[in-house]
Amino acid sequence: MGDSPALEPQDWSAQCYAEHAAFVPDLGRDLLDWLQPQPGERILDLGCGDGLLTQCLQTLGCSVLGIDASPDMVTAAGRRGLQVQQMDGQALTFVGEFDAVFSNAALHWMTRPAAVVEGVWRALKPGGRFVGELGGAGNVAAIQTALHTVLGRWGIAAAGLNPWFFPNTETYRACLEAGGFRVDRMQLFERPTPLPTHIRGWLQTFAGAFLAAVPVEHTEVLLTEVITELEPHLRQPSGTWVVDYVRLRFTAIKPR
Ligand code: BEZ
């Protein structure tokens, strides 16, 4: 599978994330059941964000290293007293060091999956496992459609701005197997997710690559148009916004 060229990285603010996306690590907690972490295991948390799940792993007695591409997130995770490092998940530098690599809601920001898989394979000990969850095919489809529709009206092609990688099971399985893994378990499932705040905050936190396509003085107008477009699809009669998440979960093993 070919990798696409890297896009401009998303500009992360740990504060914005804490306000509008605190549910992300919460929803990833049951991914720990797939990981089955054992005390004393050395685990890499790939794309650790602000470190909530990294901390859970540490509390369970694992020796965890969290890495994230965002300096702001690394600082936030470091404040929890965790071992963290700033690193691009597409350019991992570890060799045979980890019993497991764990990743929640981060891999869909890495548009060169073959580079990720290669680095994870190298980082694992023989027999080690790669357990992850990312947005899968159809993830945030209504949001993507609204962004494309509205930007299209502004004369901007959204396709070239897309910073997300939402594979189907066949594509991701092929990527893992091409990288030398044996896929033990894989699931694609819908997870409609009520937001604790307004969709505006979600768009500001996660859709920056699209919003940056217009001069900053037009951002609010663009946002309002996208929200109007989304309202019939994602807003409940109660007023709650429900995001159309689809998740892809997997366990892959590096053969001994
Ligand atoms: C996700 O977790 O599926 C996601 C987060 C931000 C942007 C797009 C998708």
Side-chain angles (χ1 to χ4, degrees), residues 126-187:
R129 59 207 191 278
F130 180 21
V131 177
E133 177 177 311
L134 68 157
N139 195 35
V140 295
I143 294 175
Q144 292 197 76
T145 301
L147 288 164
H148 282 243
T149 302
V150 173
L151 282 168
R153 287 204 296 259
W154 288 52
I156 298 166
L161 305 172
N162 190 350
W164 304 323
F165 167 65
F166 300 140
N168 59 28
T169 51
E170 291 76 17
T171 301
Y172 208 60
R173 177 182 290 272
C175 184
L176 289 163
E177 289 177 351
F181 283 98
R182 175 175 60 76
V183 177
D184 191 45
R185 198 173 169 197
M186 187 173 272
Q187 247 180 34

Side-chain angles (χ1 to χ4, degrees), residues 105 108-109 135 139-140 164 166 202 206 245 247:
H108 48 241
W109 292 104
N139 195 35
V140 295
W164 304 323
F166 300 140
W202 190 99
F206 292 128
Y245 281 130
R247 316 316 287 169

Side-chain angles (χ1 to χ4, degrees), residues 85-110:
Q85 225 174 290
Q86 189 193 345
M87 193 181 288
D88 180 352
Q90 299 166 126
L92 298 177
T93 57
F94 311 104
V95 182
E97 204 179 306
F98 295 98
D99 298 293
V101 176
F102 172 80
S103 185
N104 179 52
L107 295 170
H108 48 241
W109 292 104
M110 301 173 204

